[in-house]
Amino acid sequence: MSKSDTILKLLQGCNSLQRLQKIHAHVITNGLQHHPAISTKLVHFCAVSVSGSLSYAQLLFHHIDNPQTQAWNSIIRGFANSPSPLQSILYYNDMFSSLVSRPDIFTFSFVLKACERVKAENKCREVHGTIIRCGYERDVVVCTNLVRSYVGNGFIGVAKKVFDDMSERDLVSWNSMISCYSQAGFHYEALKVYDEMKNENVGLDGFTLVGLLSSCTHVGALNVGVNLHRIACEEGFVKNVYVGNALIDMYAKCGCLDDAFCVFDSMQKRDVFTWNSMIVGYGVHGHGDGAISFFRQMLMAGVQPNSITFLGLLCGCSHQGLVEEGVEYFHMMSTKFNLKPGIKHYGCMVDLFGRAGKLEKALDMIGTSPSQDDPVLWRTLLGSCKIHKNVKIGEIAMRNLVQLGASNAGDYILLAAIYAGAKDTDGIAKMRKLIKSQGIKTTPGWSWIEVGDQIHKFVVDDKSHPDFVEIYHKLREVISQAALLGYVPEESLISVAGLITEECLETSTSYHSEKLAIAFGLAKTPKGTSIRIVKNLRVCKDCHSFTKYVSKAFNREIIVRDRVRFHHFKGGVCSCKDYW
DNA sequence: ATAGGGTTAG
């Protein structure tokens, strides 16, 4: 056996970097460092193996005179998955300019991965062109990577076009399209892809279910989610931890904590996601005590909490007014679990103190946070000042928002409400002027409701729905029924002051999106069933009062998920106890 | 030698 054969054989069985370095020394003493097969193998091992070393691979690679595709692929692949994927693209460029070796389908798969991770949008397009020129645009894997890379770079439309034009799509391609849409926040599109998929007989698996369930969670599509749950049971995917976790989250965020618990209870394997989904679920429903109970069980089960665990806990504590507990968990993060509180945790703490009326403490909290220049913290404080009608600290919060250049019309409206509560007409006038000078720019409000497996979206005074005449007719009826029980359309504090709230922006006599959604729900769903609404903003005071009366007048449970928490309306009262 | 897919928070 020749020396080079012996070394190649040694390399075959090599499984550690240490051992590899020994072999490498052997290569050098035998003068074989320019042996192409050997150096290529060495590079491959160092770049790809978990026990390898990318910098060592680089060193070896640069000693190869005319690296062949194989060696290029190894180095491009290694960097594509590394913390510095840009390097991968640079090597790809070098490969092109070297003119010695040509990229193959594997090269493209690797470099596309790098483009996806590095956000190299132009490179992504360029690589696409090269793929076509090289005649690889019919390869399923390459195209799937292209789709992912385009979505990762924000070209959602181009990605879908590539996907639609693929000559062949397998289950992974479909799953990629779904999960990419879902991760990019295109939830309706993700669910629509599933409809297309059903006609193609590719089946589905755990990956499909996870992507779809995540989208259901985000848009509150409970019926679709329940259907997926049934499919998961029928096809044997419920034992998959990812699927179980996604189901728990879906049920919890759709307002069905009991169903979330059922899934949780039936799981044989639970990981940190499983526990977090329960804790966060209880937290956003305002059940701090429930979140705490799951946290204790989690520790007993020997699962390490992470920063999200504490977000759920703190959120629950703040909504339930568990100040002491919240403080305790906040400290516990760093002292017992070596987790550094992030900006979100500070946000929860500001909310915890602020909501409880401890505004000075909330202010101190911002002072000790690592990012006092985060507008979110000041805005949270401002919100608390509105609840507790505190002009002094409200003005401090506003001053900071202005200094940060982050103040917006919504903030002025909040402060105006605080002034209005204090009957400070000068203050109101000042805010009115500021709003006028800035122009009102706020997020338009939406509400979604699911009826059957269709999701219907409404905006303020929406007339785009095909059944809008019927919906408006129903809404007028609902309003008069509610009025019989005592509902008085409430002009908000602010409109009295000649201003309008964020939610009331469009017109003062407006039908807010959730009123339309509720009327639609009452008209389209069977008597006695509960109605679930998801909206992107907070509920306004008038709609909150309206919904309470409606829940009584029509004997319906109405569950509204707003931007921050859940409201369960039943028999004329709301689970938030009018405190939100 | 070698490729592509998943959940919480934001």
Side-chain angles (χ1 to χ4, degrees), chain A residues 332-384:
Chain A
M332 198 188 277
M333 279 185 77
S334 35
T335 55
K336 275 206 184 141
F337 298 98
N338 201 21
L339 294 165
K340 218 175 115 209
I343 181 75
K344 300 275 165 230
H345 301 94
Y346 279 91
C348 286
M349 292 307 282
V350 172
D351 195 58
L352 177 90
F353 286 128
R355 196 179 286 278
K358 301 179 189 301
L359 296 167
E360 298 281 349
K361 286 221 160 172
L363 187 59
D364 292 346
M365 203 70 217
I366 300 182
T368 58
S369 89
S371 41
Q372 288 155 44
D373 52 354
D374 191 306
V376 175
L377 296 183
W378 293 109
R379 198 161 284 138
T380 305
L381 181 62
L382 190 60
S384 303

Side-chain angles (χ1 to χ4, degrees), chain A residues 386 487 490 492-493 503-504 512 539-548 580:
Chain A
K386 185 192 159 191
Y487 165 67
E490 188 167 344
S492 78
L493 218 51
E503 296 92 341
C504 300
H512 280 175
V539 184
C540 85
K541 211 171 168 203
D542 175 49
C543 285
H544 195 266
S545 149
F546 171 77
T547 312
K548 283 196 290 184
W580 78 99

